[in-house]
């Protein structure tokens, strides 16, 4: 055991990271720092990060304001060129970022690599918009008059991100904001500050001018200060529905633009004609990938009564075999959950499932503490069967390695079950029948729908977002994200040389 002195030496050896404001790496004015802890081994401190306050946010917003005109006036293809360089830097450092992400967030190396890859894909794809950013022309009502529409940046954007996709989600906001000509202040999830810092450092290396990208580390207060800042025109938020609603209330009072990507309670329908083995594999991946901490996690499996028994047996058998451990071990299939609070929340839901909902706990249900696992936040992959659609575990977002199997008799009943929650992010159906697949695609009221695949695995060139409690009508990724980070300007050019009054003057033909 380390003596107190040795322990102190270890503690002081932990690297301190800074905020990035106006092109400089600066300590927080509060003088406060927080530890970034490895969720697989809480004795491993990944780094110490600024616990920023309002003053730091004010400085970051001032820097973004100062840089705004120059960046807005930089031609979009030139902005894109810098972003392509950024893509190269991300690609070059993918392995190092992946390791660091697994250490701070816990997801297994392959998935962390996928997260970094998503940031790379997003950067290349969205940078390409710098040579498009299409507007349109349209006929004018009057002769010798020209009409067209262009996109213009919105101004200073506050980007607030969660813990579960530490580099991908910041990139989904940052890159489109930049290509559209905005300047930004980023506040990433407090459990995963290193991945966002890696992204911002890469922006610096790529040559993005000072003040265009600013990073303020911190917790809820830093996020709230960003939302409340009068110079921040737009808030792009991804996180829980509870936080998103608070942000939306404030944004509404101040008339800010706000885009919200929030919780999910996604479901896979397994029809009686499905390839059961394929459906089981998809369900395992959808439910337990990222330890169930995906907004698109397959937390409900809605299974036809005719194949219910067979499906449940296979699912439970496979779930029991999943290898849980540190994500840094390449053999691990399911890593830890992010922190103690989240672990307690998930274990609390398992108790609700057993004692209040009285569903059948088919496997899992416990914290794992054997050997090295005692140092982290590990939960057994858990399957509840005989779940009824209105039970709490089938309605509320658990955000952990827990899934519920719900039996049904007809496709329309299954569709009602899938749609019968407050969220509307992702859904899926396993079937060999094209008519059933198209009926489900038409009737499932979610932002994303998969056929013969799990509810997870979105690609960056398609729009991403959800209906109902998941979002507020915006879509990230694809070209649709440009509608968040730019506003339309309608331009009328009258070259008739005289006053022409639209809607009033008669046009002679
Ligand atoms: P969270 O809401 O606790 O935190 C998200 C971010 O908001 C963090 O950076 C946090 O510091 C900040 N924050 C907290 N309170 C704030 C406030 N009052 N004002 C401003 N900022 C504040 O979410 P989380 O636990 O980090 O992430 C998990 C949630 O994110 C889940 O609900 C999940 O479904 C959701 N999520 C949604 C999507 C999507 O695209 N729909 C994607 C990923 C995650």
């Amino acid at each position: 055991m380390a003596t107190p002195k040795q322990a102190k030496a270890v503690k002081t050896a932990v690297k301190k990271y800074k905020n990035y404001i106006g092109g400089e790496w600066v300590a927080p004015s509060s003088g406060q720092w927080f530890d970034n802890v490895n969720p697989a081994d809480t004795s491993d401190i990944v780094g110490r990060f600024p616990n920023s306050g309002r003053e730091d946010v004010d400085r970051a917003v001032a820097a973004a304001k100062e840089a705004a005109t120059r960046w807005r006036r930089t031609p979009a293809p030139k902005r894109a060129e810098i972003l392509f360089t950024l893509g190269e830097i991300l690609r070059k450092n993918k392995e190092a970022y992946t390791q660091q992400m697994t250490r701070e967030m816990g997801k297994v190396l392959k998935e962390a690599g996928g997260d970094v890859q998503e940031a790379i894909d997003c950067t290349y794809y969205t940078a390409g918009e710098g040579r498009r950013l299409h507007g349109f022309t349209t006929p004018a009502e009057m002769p010798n008059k020209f009409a067209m529409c262009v996109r213009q940046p919105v101004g200073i954007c506050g980007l607030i991100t969660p813990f579960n996709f530490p580099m991908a989600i910041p990139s989904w906001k940052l890159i489109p904001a930049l290509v559209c000509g905005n300047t930004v202040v980023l506040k990433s999830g407090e459990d995963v500050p290193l991945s966002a810092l890696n992204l911002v450092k890469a922006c610096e290396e790529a040559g993005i001018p000072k003040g265009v990208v600013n990073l303020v580390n911190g917790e809820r207060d830093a996020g709230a200060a960003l939302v409340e800042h009068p110079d921040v025109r737009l808030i792009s938020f991804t996180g829980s529905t509870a936080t998103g609603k608070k942000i939306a209330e404030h944004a509404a009072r101040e008339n800010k633009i706000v885009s919200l990507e929030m919780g999910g309670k996604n479901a896979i329908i397994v029809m009686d004609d499905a390839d059961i083995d394929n459906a089981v594999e998809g369900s395992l991946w959808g439910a337990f990938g990222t330890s169930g901490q995906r907004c698109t996690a397959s937390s409900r499996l809605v299974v036809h009564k005719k194949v219910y028994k067979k499906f449940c047996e296979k699912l439970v058998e496979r779930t029991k075999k999943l290898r849980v451990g540190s994500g840094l071990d390449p053999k691990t299939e399911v890593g830890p959950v992010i922190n103690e609070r989240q672990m307690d929340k998930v274990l609390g839901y398992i108790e609700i499932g057993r004692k209040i909902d009285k569903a059948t706990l088919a496997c899992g249900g416990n914290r794992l503490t054997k050997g090295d696992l005692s140092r982290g936040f590990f939960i057994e992959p858990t399957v509840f069967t005989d779940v009824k659609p209105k039970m709490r575990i089938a309605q509320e977002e658990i955000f952990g390695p827990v899934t519920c199997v719900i039996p049904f008799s007809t496709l329309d009943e299954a569709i009602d079950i899938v749609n019968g929650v407050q969220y509307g992010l992702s859904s899926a159906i396993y079937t060999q029948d094209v008519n059933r697949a198209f009926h489900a695609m038409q009737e499932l009221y979610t932002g994303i729908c998969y056929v013969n695949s799990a509810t997870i695995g979105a690609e960056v060139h398609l729009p991403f977002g959800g209906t109902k409690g998941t979002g507020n009508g915006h879509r990230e990724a694809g070209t649709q994200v440009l509608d968040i980070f730019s506003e339309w300007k309608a331009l009328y050019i009258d070259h008739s040389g005289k006053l022409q009054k639209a809607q009033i003057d008669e046009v002679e033909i």
Side-chain angles (χ1 to χ4, degrees):
M1 216 178 94
T3 65
K5 210 169 161 197
Q6 282 168 328
K8 198 167 169 231
V10 171
K11 254 193 163 298
T12 46
V14 173
K15 186 168 175 188
K16 260 191 180 174
Y17 293 87
K18 294 182 173 169
N19 288 331
Y20 185 64
I21 297 177
E24 310 293 332
W25 292 95
V26 291
S29 44
S30 63
Q32 306 283 319
W33 304 79
F34 65 89
D35 285 351
N36 179 5
V37 179
N38 178 346
D41 176 359
T42 54
S43 66
D44 176 27
I45 308 299
V46 179
R48 198 152 288 148
F49 287 77
N51 198 352
S52 310
R54 203 163 286 271
E55 212 175 302
D56 302 295
V57 170
D58 287 350
R59 285 167 64 190
V61 174
K65 196 171 176 181
E66 170 101 27
T69 305
R70 182 176 164 210
W71 187 244
R72 173 170 62 78
R73 288 183 184 160
T74 303
K78 182 66 191 170
R79 296 198 291 258
E81 197 183 301
I82 303 174
L83 294 175
F84 280 121
T85 307
L86 171 65
E88 291 298 302
I89 295 166
L90 297 179
R91 210 159 58 90
K92 199 178 69 197
N93 293 301
K94 180 176 171 183
E95 209 181 306
Y97 295 159
T98 299
Q99 287 278 341
Q100 289 173 359
M101 186 186 294
T102 292
R103 195 173 153 214
E104 73 171 349
M105 192 274 170
K107 64 169 88 176
V108 300
L109 284 169
K110 273 205 174 120
E111 290 187 42
D115 192 310
V116 178
Q117 187 59 44
E118 209 169 295
I120 296 168
D121 294 344
C122 170
T123 304
Y124 284 130
Y125 172 76
T126 317
E129 286 307 313
R131 285 199 178 266
R132 287 184 289 267
L133 282 182
H134 294 309
F136 59 92
T137 63
T138 185
E141 283 178 14
M142 313 303 290
N144 298 318
K145 192 175 169 191
F146 189 88
M148 62 183 170
C149 281
V150 295
R151 291 183 184 277
Q152 59 185 343
V154 300
I156 299 167
C157 300
L159 315 179
I160 301 176
T161 57
F163 74 83
N164 64 337
F165 278 84
M167 191 177 273
I169 292 181
S171 78
W172 278 30
K173 300 180 185 303
L174 181 67
I175 310 302
L178 295 180
V179 86
C180 287
N182 305 287
T183 57
V184 307
V185 178
L186 168 63
K187 207 300 276 175
S188 81
E190 51 269 43
D191 293 293
V192 292
L194 183 54
S195 297
L197 186 135
N198 282 337
L199 177 64
V200 168
K201 233 172 164 193
C203 289
E204 181 188 29
E205 202 182 322
I208 293 176
K210 288 174 193 284
V212 172
V213 176
N214 303 278
L215 174 71
V216 174
N217 294 280
E219 301 179 339
R220 171 192 313 209
D221 289 351
L226 193 52
V227 173
E228 286 160 23
H229 200 293
D231 288 338
V232 173
R233 174 74 185 116
L234 177 149
I235 292 290
S236 172
F237 168 82
T238 299
S240 64
T241 299
T243 308
K245 280 184 175 170
K246 271 189 223 153
I247 290 174
E249 275 170 27
H250 185 85
R253 278 200 297 277
E254 302 301 320
N255 193 31
K256 289 179 195 279
I257 303 167
V258 61
S259 85
L260 304 171
E261 296 289 346
M262 303 180 287
K265 191 73 188 174
N266 318 285
I268 295 177
I269 298 175
V270 181
M271 295 303 298
D272 50 345
D273 64 1
D275 174 337
I276 296 297
D277 289 330
N278 193 24
V280 167
E281 287 310 306
S283 301
L284 283 168
W285 170 230
F288 303 123
T290 325
S291 306
Q293 301 170 111
R294 288 193 185 218
C295 50
T296 50
S298 309
S299 53
R300 295 180 297 154
L301 309 172
V302 184
V303 182
H304 198 286
K305 278 183 177 157
K306 281 192 191 154
V307 292
Y308 181 76
K309 192 163 172 278
K310 186 169 154 199
F311 177 89
C312 289
E313 279 169 8
K314 288 191 178 220
L315 179 76
V316 169
E317 189 193 319
R318 285 283 285 111
T319 302
K320 283 181 177 166
K321 288 195 183 133
L322 290 171
R323 283 189 297 267
V324 181
S326 164
L328 291 168
D329 176 348
K331 290 199 288 297
T332 296
E333 291 169 289
V334 181
V337 296
I338 189 69
N339 55 34
E340 191 165 8
R341 190 168 29 88
Q342 190 57 24
M343 180 177 71
D344 291 344
K345 182 181 160 203
V346 175
L347 292 171
Y349 267 110
I350 293 171
E351 278 308 284
I352 290 170
R354 289 173 54 211
K355 298 203 175 132
I356 299 176
D357 290 337
K358 298 196 182 351
T360 305
L361 180 64
C363 67
N366 300 298
R367 179 180 180 184
L368 291 165
T369 52
K370 216 169 155 191
D372 288 350
L373 298 184
S374 65
R375 295 211 293 264
F377 308 119
F378 295 96
I379 298 176
E380 281 178 303
T382 299
V383 177
F384 279 106
T385 53
D386 307 323
V387 175
K388 302 221 164 46
K390 294 294 171 206
M391 287 178 177
R392 281 188 65 188
I393 53 168
Q395 287 286 323
E396 297 171 25
E397 186 183 47
I398 298 174
F399 224 58
V402 180
T403 194
C404 310
V405 195
I406 307 173
F408 74 88
S409 304
T410 66
L411 176 54
D412 282 330
E413 184 193 343
I415 288 168
D416 284 346
I417 292 170
V418 177
N419 288 340
V421 291
Q422 61 163 315
Y423 302 107
L425 184 51
S426 186
S427 57
I429 181 167
Y430 279 82
T431 180
Q432 305 291 334
D433 182 327
V434 70
N435 294 344
R436 286 167 155 182
F438 270 85
H439 183 65
M441 282 191 276
Q442 180 181 283
E443 297 300 319
L444 291 168
Y445 185 43
T446 52
I448 309 163
C449 181
Y450 295 86
V451 175
N452 293 328
S453 189
T455 52
I456 66 177
E459 301 179 24
V460 300
H461 52 299
L462 279 78
F464 183 94
T467 62
K468 301 189 287 185
T470 298
N472 64 341
H474 293 285
R475 291 291 181 270
E476 292 196 315
T479 50
Q480 289 70 18
V481 70
L482 303 176
D483 291 332
I484 298 177
F485 290 104
S486 64
E487 290 180 289
W488 285 107
K489 184 188 273 178
L491 301 166
Y492 299 94
I493 304 101
D494 191 319
H495 53 100
S496 66
K498 60 181 181 189
L499 175 65
Q500 300 196 92
K501 290 177 256 161
Q503 297 98 40
I504 295 173
D505 288 350
E506 277 296 321
V507 176
E508 285 183 22
I509 49 172

